[in-house]
Amino acid sequence: MNKEFINFMRNRVSQPTLNAPAPSESEWELILSAASRAADHGNLKPWRFCVFEGEGRSKLGQIYWHHALSEVESMPDSKKESFVKKAYRAPAVLLIYASIQDHPKVPAIEQVMAVSAAAQQVLLGLNALGYGAMWRSGPACFTQKTKELLSLKDNDQIVGLIYVGTPSEKPAFIPEVELANHLTWVRD
């Protein structure tokens, strides 16, 4: 067993403050190719990736704005810029979603789980190349309006938005999980 890799996994943390640079196109392809090796019952490869960079992030900002408008009836237009800016918290944002297929042996939840596993692989790949990331979701990710604004199909399910860049500060210390509170052994 390679304990260095285990330590690498243990030391990955979410990093909310990210600056340029983000991965290059070839680095994205390397990371996403590796992420596409995630566990996948039925070999359906349900993961889909979309990288938003530069002004392309404004499309995500519009999603945040439209979600705010749907939540608060009297949202003033003066607030629009603050919602659009949320998409600019990092130099790149990866949309990761499941393209769910009808399958007699692989239910939709397993396909979403496969995409979640791919998302975790992305986080590890980014970390391996020295980038920081923050996996975000929230109510705006799970609306029909968001699907429409992103031109997603009815059978697509967003798993999250991964904000990506170069960490601007040293990662925060994350305390160890008390494994005994999360683990049960069944031996007899």
Side-chain angles (χ1 to χ4, degrees), residues 18-48:
L18 301 162
N19 296 315
S24 66
E25 189 171 321
S26 62
E27 288 173 318
W28 273 119
E29 289 173 355
L30 179 67
I31 291 164
L32 298 176
S33 174
S36 295
R37 296 298 306 264
D40 175 22
H41 183 194
N43 200 27
L44 299 178
K45 299 184 180 7
W47 40 77
R48 300 294 184 270

Side-chain angles (χ1 to χ4, degrees), residues 11 33 36 40 78 82 87 104 120-122 125 132 147 157 164 170:
N11 291 325
S33 174
S36 295
D40 175 22
S78 62
S82 67
Q120 180 62 29
Q121 297 270 82
V122 167
K147 283 186 178 185
Q157 174 62 57
V164 180
K170 190 175 178 177

Side-chain angles (χ1 to χ4, degrees), residues 49-108:
F49 308 109
C50 182
V51 179
F52 293 87
E53 299 175 312
E55 287 307 307
R57 294 171 292 172
S58 67
K59 188 168 189 173
L60 291 176
Q62 294 299 320
I63 290 167
Y64 291 129
W65 173 240
H66 284 285
H67 180 70
L69 288 174
S70 71
E71 293 287 304
V72 179
E73 286 182 26
S74 59
M75 181 69 70
D77 282 345
S78 62
K79 298 279 188 183
K80 180 177 182 178
E81 186 178 337
S82 67
F83 284 95
V84 171
K85 277 186 172 181
K86 288 182 179 190
Y88 289 83
R89 292 182 275 202
V93 182
L94 175 68
L95 167 68
I96 184 165
Y97 64 97
S99 177
I100 298 171
Q101 304 162 44
D102 285 330
H103 193 280
K105 293 184 179 179
V106 186

Side-chain angles (χ1 to χ4, degrees), residues 146-159:
T146 297
K147 283 186 178 185
E148 291 169 11
L149 290 169
L150 290 170
S151 302
L152 299 182
K153 299 172 186 159
D154 285 340
N155 65 313
D156 293 333
Q157 174 62 57
I158 295 174
V159 171

